[in-house]
Amino acid sequence: MQIAEEKGLVLMVGHTFLYSPAVRKIKEIVDRGDIGDIRYISSRRLNLGLFQKDINVAWDLAPHDISIILHILEELPTSVNCRGEAHITPGIEDLTNIHLTFRKHRSALIQSSWLDPRKVREMTIVGSKRMIVYDDVAPLEKIKIFDARVDVPPHYDSFAEFQYSYHYGDMYVPYLKQEEPLRAECQHFLDCIRHNKNPLTNGRRGMELVKILEAASASLKRNGAAIDISESRNANSLTTAPKAQTLRGPGMVCA
């Protein structure tokens, strides 16, 4: 990243899912406030193999989910916990569970596995008003929005008066314009070069994701202990990326 800035180049990392119609629509829905305040996000990225020999399943599969979660929340976690097991190759975890803790009592859970009999690519975003289920394996209805929530009574004098209010509304499927994510990503890269713009997935985004994975690896070695990453970042918000003015000249991309 520093080399790109010094040489006046546009640096963009390959977080391709952020350019998919489904994730773009989810971001649009969340930013409009349609689902209320996000409470937590859970994701599962599972399949049978392909086993790697130099990295564990967290480094292989979790980057996709982490990039989506950071994009939606626009914030870095304050701490990372990770536990896992190596069933096939000694020392190479084929099952991991990463827990990200954010401010305002928000969290995210990421399950990655090379040992599941089915290919699963699913993410659930729970809001205070509605909930989103994103199934990337589904051929058509990749996003489903559930008008469901639990309300807490605003006033009560005793525990006997305390009653939860369950709301069950309709489920609807938003329309998604079909577009190849890789094509959209490459077009965005070219546009940033031509118009001197800062990419959505710039070098800083890539660096932040690697820091989270490094914290997950450190937590694995400590049997799931929380790793505080607040001291390793400059600010909470992901909007603290380098200004576009510093990115000039021909482009370069790393996947």
Side-chain angles (χ1 to χ4, degrees):
M1 187 175 68
Q2 182 179 352
I3 296 174
E5 293 181 7
E6 291 174 352
K7 293 185 177 294
L9 302 174
V10 176
L11 176 61
M12 179 170 155
V13 296
H15 297 169
T16 308
F17 277 93
L18 303 194
Y19 300 91
S20 69
V23 174
R24 285 182 170 184
K25 177 61 70 172
I26 291 172
K27 179 64 172 169
E28 176 187 320
I29 293 169
V30 170
D31 287 350
R32 283 203 309 260
D34 289 359
I35 68 170
D37 297 326
I38 294 179
R39 289 173 170 165
Y40 74 87
I41 299 176
S42 64
S43 66
R44 298 188 300 153
R45 192 169 293 266
L46 320 171
N47 50 254
L48 188 60
L50 298 167
F51 289 88
Q52 309 292 325
K53 295 183 179 180
D54 55 343
I55 57 173
N56 63 22
V57 70
W59 284 84
D60 181 36
L61 299 181
H64 304 300
D65 300 298
I66 295 173
S67 67
I68 296 172
I69 291 168
L70 297 185
H71 180 58
I72 292 172
L73 296 181
E74 295 186 344
E75 180 183 353
L76 288 174
T78 57
S79 64
V80 179
N81 297 75
C82 183
R83 298 187 69 92
E85 299 292 342
H87 298 92
I88 305 300
T89 305
I92 305 293
E93 289 82 10
D94 41 50
L95 169 66
T96 58
N97 287 281
I98 300 175
H99 184 267
L100 307 178
T101 301
F102 294 87
R103 297 179 304 121
K104 300 178 182 179
H105 304 289
R106 300 192 296 184
S107 62
L109 180 63
I110 303 166
Q111 182 182 11
S112 307
S113 174
W114 288 327
L115 294 173
D116 202 86
R118 300 177 302 124
K119 182 177 181 179
V120 178
R121 302 287 186 269
E122 188 176 88
M123 179 175 289
T124 302
I125 305 166
V126 177
S128 57
K129 296 180 180 177
R130 295 178 181 85
M131 307 176 189
I132 300 175
V133 174
Y134 164 39
D135 185 357
D136 193 56
V137 176
L140 295 175
E141 299 178 347
K142 290 185 179 294
I143 298 177
K144 295 181 180 179
I145 301 176
F146 294 84
D147 185 14
R149 64 181 179 271
V150 178
D151 295 323
V152 178
H155 305 290
Y156 55 92
D157 296 324
S158 66
F159 184 77
E161 297 176 0
F162 184 92
Q163 294 292 330
Y164 294 108
S165 176
Y166 293 89
H167 174 84
Y168 298 99
D170 295 330
M171 183 278 291
Y172 67 95
V173 179
Y175 169 75
L176 296 180
K177 181 181 179 181
Q178 296 302 314
E179 185 178 12
E180 173 58 43
L182 183 57
R183 180 184 178 87
E185 179 184 34
C186 292
Q187 185 60 56
H188 176 64
F189 182 45
L190 292 174
D191 291 341
C192 289
I193 296 171
R194 292 192 184 106
H195 304 293
N196 189 31
K197 293 182 178 180
N198 193 21
L200 172 66
T201 53
N202 54 54
R204 186 173 297 274
R205 293 290 182 92
M207 181 183 67
E208 291 164 344
L209 192 149
V210 170
K211 284 185 177 180
I212 293 173
L213 289 172
E214 289 177 339
S217 294
S219 178
L220 268 174
K221 295 178 180 178
R222 302 181 189 178
N223 296 317
I227 303 298
D228 188 353
I229 63 172
S230 60
E231 295 180 358
S232 64
R233 55 192 171 92
N234 295 324
N236 275 323
S237 176
L238 291 179
T239 59
T240 57
K243 294 183 179 179
Q245 297 91 293
T246 63
L247 304 175
R248 299 188 178 92
M252 57 184 292
V253 62
C254 68

